[in-house]
Amino acid sequence: MKGIILAGGHGTRLQPITFGVSKQLLPVYDKPMIYYPLSVLMLAGITDIQIVAAPDGLQGFRRLLGDGSDLGLDLSYAEQDKPRGLADAFLVSEDHIGDDAVALVLGDNLFHGPGFSDILRRVALDLDGAVLFGYPVRDPERYGVGEVDGAGNLTALEEKPARPRSNLAITGLYFYDNDVVEIARSLRPSERGELEITDVNRRYLERGKAALVQLGRGFVWLDTGTHDALIDAGQYVQLLEHRQGVRIACVEEIAWRMGYIDREACHRLGAQLARSPYGQYVMDIAAAG
């Protein structure tokens, strides 16, 4: 399975702080925002990942992550010259996807919860069609919304409905079989001139091949696309890390625990950041074995 991180756009809701830097390179407490979606794909067992970004943002991502080999990953990069909707990522990354299934995660989304890695790997292993992730919110009218029956089966999808029939927002994490490329190519742009991900999901639903995983109590999903949301996410990460002594989305630790790199390589990565608490943490967990 291939992975895509969609890190395009201009971060207009975060201006002026995004005038000089890509939104996904902004800090969420102690690490760059893009570490959080990258960690999701890594936890799913996906190591071949493409980052889709605006042309003026690619250099920053390359400087931060390189080719991914230090983390046991194969990272590549693709340009999206202007936002054309989330589903456009499948066309931009068509060569990267090839004949494989694909997981798409939005570059400004943060996920955290118990057993999340097991859920992700199970979805990747048993994928047949599309798997979406739903999260209960107080204001579902702001999101794409999924409706389920009594057995939890997905029955309908609506994009920012005025009167939502469910409080399950569709998060920015999607798993698809290889048909997604053909489906994205067949879409008609919306009135905004974009290829909508909800239209992709509806096609799978019409085929009877769309499933919804509900992330309920104990899980956190945050969209860091506004100033307040960015602060909220940073405070959540800070509180949890200080209370539990572990670091969320520490990609070096994940790479080691997932077997992408060995303990010595993990320690070397921490040593490169030794003057920061983050680097010291990486060295400490590697030394502890």
Side-chain angles (χ1 to χ4, degrees):
M1 174 174 282
K2 302 293 179 59
I4 299 173
I5 301 175
L6 184 54
H10 301 293
T12 53
R13 292 184 297 166
L14 284 167
Q15 289 174 352
I17 60 175
T18 50
F19 281 146
V21 63
S22 294
K23 172 176 66 175
Q24 296 81 7
L25 293 175
L26 295 174
V28 177
Y29 185 50
D30 59 351
K31 59 191 74 72
M33 185 188 296
I34 198 169
Y35 274 31
Y36 296 89
L38 177 60
S39 71
V40 170
L41 297 181
M42 293 172 68
L43 288 170
I46 300 170
T47 59
D48 193 347
I49 299 166
Q50 185 160 87
I51 296 172
V52 176
D56 59 358
L58 286 174
Q59 183 178 356
F61 294 115
R62 287 194 175 103
R63 185 166 57 246
L64 174 68
L65 297 168
D67 64 3
S69 57
D70 286 348
L71 296 171
L73 307 177
D74 181 3
L75 295 183
S76 58
Y77 302 86
E79 291 186 5
Q80 187 184 50
D81 58 353
K82 65 179 181 179
R84 295 191 180 89
L86 304 187
D88 182 57
F90 303 114
L91 304 183
V92 172
S93 295
E94 182 176 358
D95 290 341
H96 168 67
I97 297 170
D99 297 325
D100 291 323
V102 62
L104 170 69
V105 62
L106 303 189
D108 61 358
N109 276 213
L110 183 156
F111 295 84
H112 183 251
F116 194 37
S117 180
D118 292 337
I119 293 172
L120 294 171
R121 282 182 281 179
R122 186 167 61 249
V123 167
L125 183 64
D126 299 330
L127 184 64
D128 180 22
V131 175
L132 315 176
F133 292 81
Y135 187 81
V137 296
R138 290 186 301 173
D139 49 356
E141 65 277 0
R142 295 179 52 222
Y143 304 94
V145 174
E147 186 176 354
V148 297
D149 61 20
N153 299 311
L154 184 64
T155 59
L157 291 163
E158 294 183 281
E159 181 64 25
K160 298 181 180 178
R163 296 181 178 179
R165 293 179 294 183
S166 162
N167 71 336
L168 286 175
I170 303 300
T171 72
L173 175 62
Y174 316 86
F175 283 69
Y176 299 104
D177 64 17
N178 192 255
D179 288 349
V180 71
V181 176
E182 170 265 321
I183 290 173
R185 188 181 295 112
S186 70
L187 294 180
R188 295 182 61 182
S190 67
E191 293 180 357
R192 298 183 301 173
E194 298 183 352
L195 302 180
E196 302 289 353
I197 199 75
T198 298
D199 291 337
V200 171
N201 297 334
R202 285 198 186 105
R203 294 285 184 90
Y204 277 102
L205 185 59
E206 291 166 0
R207 297 179 181 185
K209 287 196 169 186
L212 184 72
V213 174
Q214 297 188 45
L215 302 176
R217 182 171 296 181
F219 277 88
V220 169
W221 168 56
L222 298 171
D223 176 341
T224 56
T226 67
H227 298 102
D228 287 342
L230 189 62
I231 292 174
D232 289 344
Q235 290 176 336
Y236 171 79
V237 173
Q238 179 191 40
L239 176 63
L240 204 64
E241 292 187 352
H242 283 191
R243 285 285 182 87
Q244 297 186 353
V246 298
R247 296 196 178 244
I248 299 172
C250 177
V251 293
E252 296 86 357
E253 180 180 10
I254 293 170
W256 169 46
R257 298 198 186 280
M258 292 291 292
Y260 304 150
I261 60 175
D262 59 25
R263 184 169 64 87
E264 289 74 19
C266 181
H267 191 278
R268 285 196 300 271
L269 291 174
Q272 294 172 11
L273 310 170
R275 297 187 65 181
S276 74
Y278 181 93
Q280 190 62 55
Y281 170 82
V282 174
M283 287 192 295
D284 288 346
I285 59 104

